[in-house]
Amino acid sequence: MTLGITIVSHVPEIAEGLPKLLKQVAADVPLTFAGGTDDGDIGTSMEKISQAFTDNSADEILAFYDLGSAKMNLEMAQEMSDKTIHLYDTALIESAYTAASLLQADVPLNDIEEQLKPLKIK
Amino acid sequence: MTLGITIVSHVPEIAEGLPKLLKQVAADVPLTFAGGTDDGDIGTSMEKISQAFTDNSADEILAFYDLGSAKMNLEMAQEMSDKTIHLYDTALIESAYTAASLLQADVPLNDIEEQLKPLKIK
Amino acid sequence: MALTVDNLTEWINSFAQKVNDQKDYLSELDTPIGDGDHGNNMARGVKAVQESLENKKPAELTDAFKQIAMALISKVGGASGPLYGTAFLEMAKKSKDTTDLGELFAAANAGIKKRGGAQVGDKTMVDVWEPLSDQLAQGSLAQEDIDKAVNGTRGLVAKKGRASYLGDRSVGHLDPGAMSSGYLFTALIETEGIL
Amino acid sequence: MALTVDNLTEWINSFAQKVNDQKDYLSELDTPIGDGDHGNNMARGVKAVQESLENKKPAELTDAFKQIAMALISKVGGASGPLYGTAFLEMAKKSKDTTDLGELFAAANAGIKKRGGAQVGDKTMVDVWEPLSDQLAQGSLAQEDIDKAVNGTRGLVAKKGRASYLGDRSVGHLDPGAMSSGYLFTALIETEGIL
Ligand SMILES: Nc1ncnc2c1ncn2[C@@H]1O[C@H](COP(=O)(O)OP(=O)(O)O)[C@@H](O)[C@H]1O
Ligand SMILES: Nc1ncnc2c1ncn2[C@@H]1O[C@H](COP(=O)(O)OP(=O)(O)O)[C@@H](O)[C@H]1O
Ligand SMILES: [Mg+2]
Ligand SMILES: [Mg+2]
Ligand SMILES: [Mg+2]
Ligand SMILES: [Mg+2]
């Protein structure tokens, strides 16, 4: 069973840019993202998030988001997905970076979640 | 004396994208950013940060960054700047959003810093 | 008096009309305590709803609620999208068992609260949906109840959504989602044959 | 035996040579416990340093140190940029008063520690700079001291920089910045006429 990461941001550029930072330390971790509304404006899209879950080659996904309304769309996509989706109320960039580094080093999910705890800010 | 925000990220897209989220809630807050190295690669640049401080129309700046090495370049730029630069070890996106909302509502710096405290994760 | 696909469509069209008429006002309400897009978000949403209902006339109430929900979820973009979307999705589910407005709205309100985690008093659309759903269950919803619920958000401190970042400073402003929800209830009581 | 602009330039050129030769190795060291760019970062940095010293031959030691610092600060891009940059900037300042290597390196090491907040034992370049600066002050620096300091980082748990995200899992890997710093000290002792 593989673990992957999905990034959700209100801003398309942030959603696209963050994986570049993560890829540097996590070349082998499956990474997908969803940014902006369906029209590419600032906001989030349940469909785009669902697509990012589907497109991720992992069957278990750690999902990170920026603001609260992203979380609502994330939860709807989570409910509709066949995959196991873990949702973290943690600092988006910093916790995605932490998770990516640890996943690359094959650290078990429990230990990763332990290390994410101090990053919970939402 | 006006207060502004400077965003520093390792990734050019994040540095460019985050102000779009902030502008929505803080149309009148002076916002500048520095992302990536001088060559536009992943990393940070002391010169770009200095430029972002200079270009910011405010004379007192709240600065937010993503990873630790950005902080080092930020501090060098801070030492060279004539402006008062406040550096926060807080979640980049979430704390910049918080500060922007509050600056737009003319909340005094002390109260803003109080609200940033729980977002300290670095 | 009962809910049918036809009067549901009429209700929603009337809501869409109000949202479009008050689009700028809703965005204005969202400016001091949010990101100033609630009017645009809702206008985009109701346009998609109307297109969906026109392109494919729903056979059953359940289908109608579902189409409305999906259009709002896809097109609104802001927090109000999943919230209104969840409300109509819960009504779709509930409509398999009953067309009782009190029960439908109670399910919708529960869905909004679960989706957003807000309670009454948090200065959100819940401050409109909860009391007015109760009134509907009691069979007595009037415009003055709607006004009272919407205006009641003015004095509250926001605890959820973007306005919550402003804390105490959110007091003195109407909640935009409460206002747009107010239009939905007004459209409901104005539509002939539902209540 | 004393530091001059000429032998400083020779030293730095020799360091640049080693960095270029070991560029891939430095990036490899940075891969399991970092982002795999330390070799590229340092190669970019020393190239800029060499260009600066060629384009404008410094008149004084202080100028030379300053040019080296500015080139590293502008061009390295990673954490090692401000760290090496600060080291040379502190040497520039100190060189106004003295050319004593012990004092220059003590100032550089203090600068690195202040800039990055790392202490000895945190598995960073400080684990090379601090002991070797002490040795220089005592007038006895040999290659085996350098090897010992660099290799000593292998058993440490990273407390600063990207490797710190891995915690205990950073044990067993050499620190890339310690390795490149090792090259700087090796180049120093190999350069005729400085020590
Ligand atoms: N967690 C929540 N629970 C209930 N209602 C919420 C919540 N968050 C936001 N809202 C409602 O949504 C409205 C804002 O909607 P909108 O402006 O469209 O979304 P956004 O805030 O993402 O821009 C608020 O006025 C409030 O009524
Ligand atoms: N806070 C710090 N204090 C001291 N040295 C540090 C610190 N952070 C990183 N380093 C050093 O920098 C090296 C990594 O440099 P480099 O790969 O060029 O930068 P980055 O980590 O930004 O990619 C580490 O091996 C370590 O020696
Ligand atoms: Mg809004
Ligand atoms: Mg919005
Ligand atoms: Mg590196
Ligand atoms: Mg790097």
Side-chain angles (χ1 to χ4, degrees):
Chain A
M1 198 173 54
T2 54
L3 288 163
I5 289 179
T6 294
I7 302 296
V8 180
S9 172
H10 275 65
V11 187
E13 286 93 335
I14 295 178
E16 267 172 56
L18 179 49
K20 298 187 183 176
L21 186 68
L22 308 187
K23 279 257 180 294
Q24 287 199 311
V25 292
D28 307 313
V29 176
L31 278 174
T32 54
F33 58 87
T37 64
D38 281 349
D39 304 327
D41 292 328
I42 309 292
T44 56
S45 150
M46 203 267 287
E47 270 104 352
K48 278 192 175 178
I49 299 171
S50 290
Q51 194 62 47
F53 288 160
T54 306
D55 292 347
N56 199 303
S57 65
D59 37 32
E60 191 167 348
I61 292 175
L62 287 70
F64 301 94
Y65 68 93
D66 51 8
L67 299 182
S69 51
K71 184 183 184 181
M72 294 189 231
N73 274 323
L74 253 173
E75 284 179 340
M76 298 195 81
Q78 181 184 36
E79 288 160 18
M80 291 183 186
S81 175
D82 295 333
K83 298 186 177 181
T84 306
I85 314 286
H86 305 276
L87 207 61
Y88 300 100
D89 297 325
T90 49
L92 173 58
I93 296 178
E94 296 82 353
S95 60
Y97 182 84
T98 302
S101 310
L102 297 173
L103 284 174
Q104 178 69 29
D106 288 324
V107 175
L109 184 58
N110 267 349
D111 296 3
I112 296 177
E113 294 193 331
E114 205 50 49
Q115 203 154 327
L116 290 177
K117 270 187 193 157
L119 304 178
K120 181 162 167 23
I121 54 164
K122 295 167 188 173
Chain B
M1 197 172 53
T2 53
L3 289 163
I5 289 178
T6 294
I7 301 297
V8 180
S9 172
H10 274 64
V11 187
E13 286 93 334
I14 295 178
E16 266 172 59
L18 180 49
K20 298 186 183 177
L21 187 67
L22 308 187
K23 279 256 180 296
Q24 288 199 310
V25 292
D28 307 313
V29 176
L31 279 174
T32 55
F33 59 86
T37 65
D38 281 350
D39 305 326
D41 292 329
I42 308 293
T44 56
S45 151
M46 204 268 286
E47 270 104 352
K48 278 192 176 180
I49 299 170
S50 291
Q51 194 62 47
F53 287 160
T54 306
D55 292 347
N56 199 302
S57 65
D59 37 31
E60 192 167 348
I61 292 174
L62 288 70
F64 301 94
Y65 67 93
D66 50 9
L67 299 182
S69 52
K71 185 183 183 178
M72 294 190 230
N73 274 323
L74 252 173
E75 283 178 342
M76 299 194 81
Q78 180 183 36
E79 288 160 19
M80 292 183 185
S81 175
D82 295 333
K83 299 186 178 181
T84 306
I85 313 285
H86 304 274
L87 207 62
Y88 300 99
D89 297 325
T90 49
L92 173 58
I93 296 178
E94 296 82 353
S95 59
Y97 182 83
T98 302
S101 310
L102 297 174
L103 284 173
Q104 178 70 29
D106 288 325
V107 175
L109 184 58
N110 266 349
D111 295 3
I112 295 177
E113 293 193 332
E114 204 51 48
Q115 204 154 328
L116 290 177
K117 270 186 193 158
L119 303 179
K120 180 162 167 25
I121 53 164
K122 295 166 187 172
Chain C
M1 300 284 153
L3 201 60
T4 63
V5 170
D6 281 340
N7 61 28
L8 167 58
T9 305
E10 226 180 290
W11 163 35
I12 292 302
N13 283 334
S14 160
F15 172 52
Q17 181 70 49
K18 289 180 202 299
V19 165
N20 286 322
D21 289 349
Q22 304 298 327
K23 181 173 127 171
D24 293 346
Y25 176 56
L26 289 173
S27 287
E28 263 166 48
L29 289 180
D30 196 28
T31 300
I33 58 170
D35 56 350
D37 63 1
H38 188 58
N40 294 311
N41 288 346
M42 292 306 297
R44 209 165 39 232
V46 295
K47 179 160 175 273
V49 167
Q50 289 185 299
E51 283 169 3
S52 169
L53 295 176
E54 272 161 35
N55 291 344
K56 187 174 155 222
K57 189 172 169 7
E60 310 269 356
L61 266 181
T62 302
D63 303 327
F65 279 128
K66 215 178 263 172
Q67 281 178 236
I68 295 167
M70 293 321 292
L72 292 170
I73 291 169
S74 326
K75 286 296 168 198
V76 170
S80 45
L83 291 165
Y84 273 102
T86 300
F88 282 97
L89 218 47
E90 292 301 324
M91 291 202 257
K93 284 190 216 159
K94 189 53 98 185
S95 69
K96 290 176 190 161
D97 306 329
T98 178
T99 59
D100 179 78
L101 280 180
E103 287 194 54
L104 291 172
F105 273 85
N109 176 53
I112 292 174
K113 289 172 74 176
K114 184 172 163 284
R115 181 63 63 212
Q119 299 300 322
V120 164
D122 288 352
K123 196 183 184 95
T124 69
M125 57 174 73
V126 171
D127 290 305
V128 168
W129 283 79
E130 180 138 319
L132 302 191
S133 299
D134 290 350
Q135 303 265 92
L136 276 174
Q138 290 156 31
S140 71
L141 178 60
Q143 185 58 41
E144 63 179 41
D145 302 315
I146 300 172
D147 294 341
K148 191 172 156 241
V150 172
N151 291 328
T153 64
R154 192 188 299 276
L156 298 172
V157 176
K159 295 277 164 57
K160 287 282 168 186
R162 290 172 185 265
S164 65
Y165 288 85
L166 295 176
D168 292 349
R169 293 170 188 86
S170 60
V171 172
H173 301 279
L174 283 186
D175 176 62
M179 188 71 250
S180 63
S181 298
Y183 299 150
L184 184 73
F185 284 91
T186 298
L188 178 74
I189 61 173
E190 284 175 1
T191 304
E192 302 269 325
I194 297 186
L195 288 189
Chain D
M1 299 284 154
L3 201 59
T4 63
V5 170
D6 281 339
N7 63 27
L8 168 57
T9 306
E10 226 180 289
W11 164 34
I12 293 302
N13 283 335
S14 158
F15 173 52
Q17 182 70 50
K18 290 181 203 298
V19 166
N20 286 322
D21 289 348
Q22 303 298 326
K23 181 172 126 170
D24 292 346
Y25 176 56
L26 290 174
S27 287
E28 263 167 49
L29 290 180
D30 196 29
T31 300
I33 59 170
D35 56 350
D37 62 2
H38 188 58
N40 294 312
N41 288 346
M42 292 305 298
R44 209 165 40 233
V46 294
K47 179 160 175 275
V49 167
Q50 289 185 300
E51 282 170 2
S52 169
L53 295 177
E54 272 162 34
N55 291 344
K56 187 175 156 221
K57 189 171 171 2
E60 309 269 355
L61 267 181
T62 302
D63 302 329
F65 279 127
K66 215 178 265 173
Q67 282 178 235
I68 296 167
M70 294 322 292
L72 292 170
I73 291 169
S74 326
K75 287 296 167 199
V76 171
S80 45
L83 291 164
Y84 273 101
T86 299
F88 282 97
L89 218 47
E90 292 301 324
M91 292 201 255
K93 284 190 216 159
K94 189 53 97 185
S95 69
K96 289 176 192 163
D97 304 330
T98 178
T99 58
D100 179 78
L101 281 180
E103 287 193 54
L104 291 172
F105 273 85
N109 176 53
I112 292 174
K113 289 172 74 177
K114 181 169 165 286
R115 180 64 61 215
Q119 299 300 324
V120 164
D122 288 353
K123 197 183 184 97
T124 69
M125 58 174 72
V126 171
D127 291 307
V128 169
W129 282 79
E130 180 138 320
L132 302 191
S133 300
D134 289 349
Q135 302 265 93
L136 276 175
Q138 292 156 31
S140 72
L141 179 60
Q143 184 58 40
E144 62 180 42
D145 301 315
I146 299 172
D147 294 341
K148 189 171 157 242
V150 172
N151 291 329
T153 63
R154 195 187 296 276
L156 298 173
V157 176
K159 295 277 163 56
K160 287 283 167 186
R162 290 172 185 265
S164 65
Y165 287 85
L166 296 176
D168 292 348
R169 293 171 188 86
S170 60
V171 172
H173 301 280
L174 285 184
D175 176 63
M179 188 71 250
S180 64
S181 298
Y183 298 150
L184 184 74
F185 283 92
T186 298
L188 178 75
I189 61 174
E190 283 175 1
T191 304
E192 303 269 325
I194 297 186
L195 289 191

